[in-house]
Structures are given as structure tokens and as C-alpha cells.
Amino acid sequence: MSAGHLIKATHLAKNFISSVLKAGDVAVDATMGNGNDTIFMAELVGDTGKVYAFDIQQKALDETKIKLSNQSLLHRTELIHAGHEDMDQYVKTEAAAIMFNLGYLPKGDHHIVTRAQTTIRAIEKGLSLLKTNGLLTITIYHGHPEGLDEKEAVLSYVKNLDQKLFNVLYMEFINQANNPPLLVAAEKK
Ligand SMILES: C[S@@+](CC[C@H](N)C(=O)[O-])C[C@H]1O[C@@H](n2cnc3c(N)ncnc32)[C@H](O)[C@@H]1O
């Protein structure tokens, strides 16, 4: 597919994040996986910023560490082998941007997936870590068995966030087959 502006949810999420995340900021990659979002945000925060990245799979940390080292970005990151639902134990300052990319590790074990209950706890903690005008994005994959429950839980949670505190946007490619990922973006007022 040729490059356009409306390509996919992950691309749109990065566009939103790049408009808020600046040098010196703190960011959180709640689902490190293969490290693409960690690298993307490490480039934006510069040498004075920090990206905290979480995953429950050691494989994700190992692969992300290699990629960051190859790009001389490792010092801008903290790679944490823990569930994102515990992010408040590790991140002690306000964050300008937080990214969730739900589902399973591409090219990994498809049975290890994010799950509704822990995802909601993590989103709740992420929203309380966000600074004013900070942005939290959630890319939701609902084409796998656990994904449908997770999608419903996430959408019902974010729909009910107080509009005095957050602007919440939901985006969906409505003419695509095969359950394309959905995007939620929440901005703290
Ligand atoms: C779709 S992948 C993330 C892709 C990643 N952003 C990238 O750039 O490659 C989802 C990741 O979430 C991880 N995960 C599952 N449950 C988690 C949890 N409770 N806390 C943190 N990560 C979790 C999985 O191990 C998997 O690596």
C-alpha cells in the first residue's frame, strides 16, 4: 500500500504522540513488544528525557535492548520486566505521553496477550500519571479470542471518563475487512 495519511491505527497513534512529546519529557510504553514504540518515543524525548517501557516477556526486553543499543538510544530508556498494571511502582514523575499497543507479540507466542482486567488497571494508572495536556493512546486488536472482551472493556471504560478531566477520541477504519485495529486517544485537560 502506498504511504498516505490514513494508513493504520499504529501510524495515527504515532502522529498524535509526536505532536505532544518533546525533548526532556517522560513517556511510557506500556506494551514494549518488539520495541517500535519505545524507539519512536526515545527519539522524541532526547538525551534529557526518559521512556519507561514495560513487558511481561523477557524476549521483548531482550530484543528491544538490542535495537535501542544499535541506535544509541538505550540510555534514554528504562526497560522494565513487569506488568503495566504496576507502572505506578516504577514511574514516579508525570508523563507527557503513554502508548498502549494491545494484543500479542508479533512473531511471538500468540497465547500471551494483554487482558481486559489488567489493561483497565494499567490505563487507569496511566491516566493518573499523565500531565496536563498529556496524551495516552491505546491501539486495540480485537481479531483474536481475548481481544473482543478487551475491546469492550476498554471502550466502556474510556467512554465513561469525565469530560471535565479528559478529551477522549475513538477512531475506526470502517471499510476494512479482518478486524483492523482501533485507536483510542485520551488527553488530560
Ligand atoms: C502488540 S504487542 C506490542 C507491540 C509493540 N508496541 C511493538 O512495537 O512491537 C503487545 C505486548 O504486550 C505485552 N503484554 C501482555 N500483557 C502485558 C502486561 N500486563 N503488561 C505489559 N505488557 C504486557 C505482550 O507480551 C506483548 O509483547
Side-chain angles (χ1 to χ4, degrees):
M1 186 179 183
S2 64
H5 296 294
L6 301 182
I7 304 173
K8 47 186 185 172
T10 48
H11 181 88
L12 295 171
K14 285 182 174 174
N15 281 350
F16 281 124
I17 295 293
S18 63
S19 69
V20 300
L21 193 58
K22 306 287 179 222
D25 282 341
V26 166
V28 177
D29 183 352
T31 48
M32 184 189 325
N34 291 318
N36 298 308
D37 297 327
T38 309
I39 291 169
F40 168 70
M41 293 196 285
E43 284 170 342
L44 292 171
V45 298
D47 280 334
T48 53
K50 186 68 78 190
V51 180
Y52 294 87
F54 293 85
D55 208 292
I56 53 171
Q57 295 192 64
Q58 185 61 45
K59 176 179 159 62
L61 278 84
D62 294 344
E63 294 191 5
T64 300
K65 188 172 180 183
I66 292 169
K67 287 185 187 165
L68 287 163
S69 300
N70 289 342
Q71 299 189 43
S72 305
L73 292 170
L74 188 61
H75 62 290
R76 299 181 184 182
T77 66
E78 297 266 344
L79 306 186
I80 299 157
H81 189 193
H84 42 213
E85 61 277 14
D86 293 326
M87 69 169 79
D88 55 328
Q89 291 177 26
Y90 301 88
V91 187
K92 298 291 181 189
T93 46
E94 288 189 321
I98 302 179
M99 295 183 83
F100 285 81
N101 192 335
L102 304 178
Y104 50 76
L105 183 64
K107 298 185 203 146
D109 181 344
H110 289 198
H111 298 289
I112 306 175
V113 291
T114 54
R115 290 175 190 275
Q117 209 185 359
T118 38
T119 299
I120 298 298
R121 287 219 306 273
I123 293 170
E124 197 174 358
K125 289 186 174 176
L127 290 173
S128 67
L129 280 172
L130 268 191
K131 69 179 194 183
T132 303
N133 299 327
L135 199 64
L136 180 149
T137 62
I138 312 163
T139 304
I140 306 170
Y141 297 81
H142 54 116
H144 62 98
E146 297 84 357
L148 200 54
D149 275 355
E150 188 178 43
K151 167 193 159 184
E152 280 165 12
V154 169
L155 291 183
S156 96
Y157 177 77
V158 296
K159 264 186 203 170
N160 288 305
L161 288 170
D162 185 346
Q163 71 175 63
K164 293 193 195 80
L165 303 178
F166 296 99
N167 294 316
V168 184
L169 179 80
Y170 169 58
M171 297 174 97
E172 177 177 14
F173 287 92
I174 54 175
N175 67 335
Q176 282 183 16
N178 303 323
N179 308 307
L182 315 168
L183 178 65
V184 169
E187 178 185 43
K188 194 174 229 171
K189 291 188 171 180

